[in-house]
Structure formats: structure tokens, C-alpha cells
Amino acid sequence: AQSVTQLGSHVSVSEGALVLLRCNYSSSVPPYLFWYVQYPNQGLQLLLKYTSAATLVKGINGFEAEFKKSETSFHLTKPSAHMSDAAEYFCAVRAYYGGSQGNLIFGKGTKLSVKP
Amino acid sequence: DVKVTQSSRYLVKRTGEKVFLECVQDMDHENMFWYRQDPGLGLRLIYFSYDVKMKEKGDIPEGYSVSREKKERFSLILESASTNQTSMYLCASRLANEQFFGPGTRLTVL
């Protein structure tokens, strides 16, 4: 079975500071991993995905994530935060078992605040 | 661009009412999903469908049913709404490894 843990339900950074949102996964098979962003009162939008190609994945809006198998991590980073990055971020892993094959298993989310 | 639309952004219903949430996607995707989203709990899968008239229970199907009569439309039904079903409901469709989400319906049951 697969699972995802996001460390920190709330993260606050200053504008221009590094953004680091943590995600650890559990999977008995090579995982497919995703980061989604949700702006207030909107649905989820895909930021980036790892599907067993390059371990450093670049996404939209300057975000990137690095797959580290030894640490079972897929942390999301951005060098310099903008006010517009304030949103909730979800890490997800693709399910590989039973009737749920291909479904996504989501973490509980991390709300990012950006201070001026 | 893929578009997933949901019939209402905000909905207020009374306890015991039958509630229909509609979702339509325009990209001929076979797989569609209904999630509910609650603070601190993330997204939890209610039901999904991998083809017309096919449905599978997700993690929290109790109190819900679904209907998929046409490929583009996936409906979530609350047979008798209860206050603990007050939540944000998100619909998604899937192509390969990517899910595309609608804007969500915020349902309040009084």
C-alpha cells in the first residue's frame, strides 16, 4: 500500500525567502509522485510530477521537487517566495493496489503563507 | 485545455434533502472521481468510475451514491443529506497519470 505524509500543516515564509514544503512517501513499488496547488476557493492544479525519469523535476511558477529514494522524500522548493504563492499544497502518490490502481493518494496538505 | 466543470460553486441544503452534485468533463476521459475535502484531512476519495455505468467505492462511500450514464458526466448523490456532509466536494477526471480538477462545490447542510 502507498501513503503520503506532509510535514507541517502550516508554513510561513517572508517574501523572497526560500520555500520548502516536505513530503515523505511510503510505497512498495517505484512511486509516481505529484504536487498539486490549491488557491483559495479553487480546485487543484498540477504543479509537477515525478514518473521515474529525472529525479529533479521542474514545475510551473518556479517550483521544483527532488525525488530521493534513499530518504523516501519528494520535497517541494522554490528559491524565492512571491505573495501569489500563498495557497495550499498537496503531495500525492499514485496507488498501485487492487481496484484503486491509478488513483491518487493525497497527503493532508500544507498551507503556505507569505509575509510581505 | 482540459475543462472540468461542476454545476454549483456554493450550495445550501437542509438535513434530509436529496442532493445532486454534477460534474462534466470535455476531454473524453474514461476515469472520473469524487473527493471531499475537509480542513486537516486533505482529500478523501468517495467514489470513482472508470467507464460509463461503472463505479467503484473509494475510502468514504457511506451516505453517498454516484451515477455515470454518459462518459462526460459523473454525478454525486447524497440520498438524505446530513450536517456531517457539509464539506467541499471536488470532481476530477484522469488521463494517464494526471488528474484534472473542477473548481469544487462548497456544500453546507443545515
Side-chain angles (χ1 to χ4, degrees):
Chain A
Q2 286 78 32
S3 67
V4 166
T5 302
Q6 291 183 240
L7 300 174
S9 56
H10 287 87
V11 169
S12 182
V13 300
S14 297
E15 194 173 18
L18 170 73
V19 176
L20 171 60
L21 304 182
R22 299 176 188 274
C23 173
N24 288 89
Y25 69 90
S26 170
S27 179
S28 56
V29 298
Y32 283 10
L33 294 159
F34 306 82
W35 275 101
Y36 281 84
V37 61
Q38 185 181 34
Y39 298 104
N41 296 316
Q42 294 187 27
L44 275 68
Q45 179 183 0
L46 181 67
L47 265 181
L48 49 81
K49 60 184 177 185
Y50 167 77
T51 56
S52 75
T55 56
L56 182 62
V57 182
K58 292 189 185 300
I60 62 171
N61 301 336
F63 283 93
E64 62 183 35
E66 187 172 8
F67 173 70
K68 290 188 177 180
K69 184 179 178 181
S70 60
E71 298 177 9
T72 62
S73 69
F74 190 57
H75 301 332
L76 182 71
T77 59
K78 183 174 179 177
S80 176
H82 294 164
M83 298 295 291
S84 60
D85 295 326
E88 191 159 18
Y89 293 80
F90 292 92
C91 182
V93 63
R94 175 179 165 159
Y96 276 93
Y97 59 93
S100 297
Q101 284 186 25
N103 293 348
L104 294 180
I105 299 166
F106 286 88
K108 290 182 170 23
T110 298
K111 210 165 261 188
L112 175 67
S113 301
V114 182
K115 298 175 289 187
Chain B
D1 277 352
V2 174
K3 195 158 184 188
V4 179
T5 57
Q6 294 183 229
S7 51
S8 305
R9 294 299 304 275
Y10 300 92
L11 210 51
V12 179
K13 296 291 182 181
R14 298 236 174 246
T15 302
E17 279 192 77
K18 190 169 185 175
V19 182
F20 293 86
L21 303 183
E22 306 284 342
C23 175
V24 176
Q25 50 98 359
D26 66 356
M27 284 301 291
D28 205 36
H29 292 168
E30 292 182 346
N31 295 275
M32 296 186 73
F33 306 81
W34 275 107
Y35 297 90
R36 66 176 280 175
Q37 181 183 10
D38 300 288
L41 297 179
L43 276 73
R44 293 180 292 167
L45 183 63
I46 305 171
Y47 268 97
F48 64 100
S49 168
Y50 51 87
D51 204 349
V52 175
K53 297 192 185 295
M54 307 301 285
K55 60 186 180 184
E56 293 285 343
K57 293 180 180 179
D59 300 317
I60 52 165
E62 297 78 18
Y64 303 94
S65 62
V66 289
S67 172
R68 186 133 182 238
E69 297 296 319
K70 293 185 178 181
K71 196 172 188 179
E72 68 270 18
R73 187 180 298 270
F74 190 35
S75 302
L76 180 70
I77 303 155
L78 287 66
E79 295 288 342
S80 178
S82 64
T83 55
N84 63 12
Q85 293 179 308
T86 291
S87 187
M88 168 74 99
Y89 290 88
L90 291 165
C91 174
S93 68
R94 191 188 77 181
L95 177 65
N97 291 311
E98 186 170 346
Q99 289 196 16
F100 300 86
F101 285 83
T105 296
R106 189 167 293 282
L107 173 67
T108 301
V109 183
L110 301 175

